[in-house]
Amino acid sequence: PAPVLPHEDTPRWLSRDARPLFWVGSDGKMHELVIRDVVCEPPDVVWENLGTEVPRLVVGHIVAGLTIIGSFVAMTLVIFVPLASYSINYMLQAGSLPTGIMMSVMGSLVMAGNWVMCQVHSKVSSFVGFVRRDREGLLLFKVFAVLCLVNFLFNVSIALFPDSQAHALRYVLHP
């Protein structure tokens, strides 16, 4: 027999005398399926992680978890605590929250910290050993959602709780 070319309708692994396959459409009609070789690779597969052994995956998940938790702790200690301390001390001394250029600089610092954390989390997610890129993306989405929530709660706590609990409740009830 003649050699099968890559774009020929019947692939080598499918016998030529096999019964045809049919698919029933939503309209109830039967349609014959044609099987052929695909000339491209799926873009969503991380080929270098295929066949990774379970102990390596476990280590990857543990390292990623510790790195992500460590990055949150580092951001809290390096950015949030000093920013909260500055804002509360400023409020106690000046009687109002800092505004203008200083808050713009602090906001830029928080944004830069978020960007660095996203870069770290991106590297960590590729270290875990996921076989599919959408799983990496799902990890990044979840971690970034938590990061946004932490940022939001931090900003709310700074805005609401510098004085006292009564001040916070009054602000929430009557903006």
Side-chain angles (χ1 to χ4, degrees):
V4 177
L5 299 175
H7 296 291
E8 192 172 319
D9 284 339
T10 307
R12 286 178 221 193
W13 50 267
L14 185 65
S15 72
R16 294 185 185 274
D17 57 345
R19 293 185 353 198
L21 298 173
F22 291 95
W23 170 71
V24 179
S26 59
D27 57 357
K29 293 182 182 177
M30 304 232 349
H31 305 279
E32 185 176 348
L33 296 177
V34 177
I35 297 176
R36 61 182 173 82
D37 278 335
V38 178
V39 293
C40 66
E41 296 178 350
D44 202 35
V45 175
V46 183
W47 295 105
E48 57 269 17
N49 292 340
L50 283 176
T52 303
E53 295 179 4
V54 174
R56 165 57 181 87
L57 291 174
V58 170
V59 168
H61 279 83
I62 291 171
V63 168
L66 292 175
T67 304
I68 289 169
I69 290 169
S71 68
F72 276 94
V73 169
M75 185 161 186
T76 300
L77 296 176
V78 172
I79 295 177
F80 289 157
V81 170
L83 178 58
S85 176
Y86 173 80
S87 295
I88 290 171
N89 287 334
Y90 186 92
M91 165 114 185
L92 293 175
Q93 292 177 6
S96 66
L97 288 173
T99 59
I101 294 175
M102 185 52 71
M103 287 309 285
S104 296
V105 168
M106 290 183 192
S108 297
L109 180 65
V110 170
M111 180 190 67
N114 287 341
W115 182 81
V116 167
M117 281 184 63
C118 286
Q119 294 300 315
V120 168
H121 296 162
S122 176
K123 297 293 183 196
V124 165
S125 70
S126 63
F127 176 76
V128 170
F130 291 113
V131 176
R132 293 176 33 192
R133 296 204 192 283
D134 62 334
R135 300 299 179 211
E136 286 181 15
L138 189 60
L139 174 68
L140 288 173
F141 176 78
K142 288 177 180 179
V143 171
F144 188 70
V146 170
L147 176 63
C148 289
L149 178 65
V150 167
N151 281 325
F152 171 75
L153 293 175
F154 170 75
N155 289 330
V156 167
S157 68
I158 289 299
L160 294 182
F161 300 108
D163 243 353
S164 67
Q165 189 72 18
H167 171 71
L169 290 176
R170 186 183 50 172
Y171 181 80
V172 169
L173 297 175
H174 302 291

